[in-house]
Amino acid sequence: MNKVILMGRLTRDPEVRYSQGENATAVARYTLAVDRRFNRNNDDQTADFINCVAFGRSGEFAEKYFHKGTKIAITGRIQTGSYTNKDGVKVYTTDIVVEDQEFAESKNSTGNGDGGFAPANRPAPAAAGDGFMNIPDGIDEELPFN
């Protein structure tokens, strides 16, 4: 089984190109900075930088909505390859081919949002001191459970 799940931040805006031919397909390339859980061998590097490629509608989505610093979660598969560069040296590549991608935080938490998921007619509730969001009074009927 070849399955990868990653969460990290984009190091730059996705680079998007379109394939040639009658049915042009979007090909988006981006790099995810994924934090390491542990520091091994006194290594100063705290993140891995992983190359990702998204095709078709996923590539178009990345082009439209993903920007440098956006925290995303992806699932996909590892794909390796190689090519010979202009100096005649064989270069080996490893990419994650994206099968699914989604935002890993709301716009509001990045500091550039407009209220996150709060309805337009009601301000977003403030977070309590314990890190959980307070539920405003009087919305019992709107909740899908009792």
Side-chain angles (χ1 to χ4, degrees):
M1 177 185 292
N2 183 353
K3 187 78 165 177
V4 176
I5 302 171
L6 298 171
M7 182 167 32
R9 293 192 183 276
L10 294 171
T11 61
R12 64 184 191 287
D13 289 353
E15 178 184 309
V16 181
R17 296 184 179 170
Y18 287 84
S19 65
Q20 300 293 323
E22 189 175 313
N23 297 325
T25 301
V27 180
R29 293 187 173 276
Y30 53 83
T31 302
L32 272 185
V34 179
D35 289 331
R36 291 183 176 174
R37 290 183 97 171
F38 304 105
N39 187 358
R40 294 194 173 116
N41 302 330
N42 296 323
D43 188 6
D44 290 336
Q45 187 173 353
T46 60
D48 290 301
F49 299 90
I50 300 169
N51 296 322
C52 303
V53 60
F55 295 96
R57 297 195 76 147
S58 293
E60 293 170 4
F61 183 88
E63 178 180 32
K64 188 171 182 179
Y65 297 109
F66 289 172
H67 303 287
K68 179 180 178 178
T70 304
K71 188 173 188 179
I72 64 171
I74 67 167
T75 59
R77 59 183 169 82
I78 294 176
Q79 180 172 289
T80 59
S82 64
Y83 64 93
T84 303
N85 68 11
K86 62 184 176 186
D87 299 325
V89 177
K90 193 164 192 173
V91 177
Y92 294 93
T93 62
T94 302
D95 293 311
I96 305 302
V97 177
V98 176
E99 295 169 353
D100 188 34
Q101 58 190 2
E102 59 189 64
F103 294 102
E105 64 185 0
S106 67
K107 279 185 170 183
N108 196 32
S109 63
T110 62
N112 62 356
D114 54 359
F117 297 107
N121 61 354
R122 186 175 343 151
D130 59 3
F132 289 97
M133 184 180 285
N134 292 323
I135 298 175
D137 294 332
I139 65 164
D140 296 332
E141 299 80 36
E142 296 179 32
L143 296 176
F145 50 88
N146 290 330

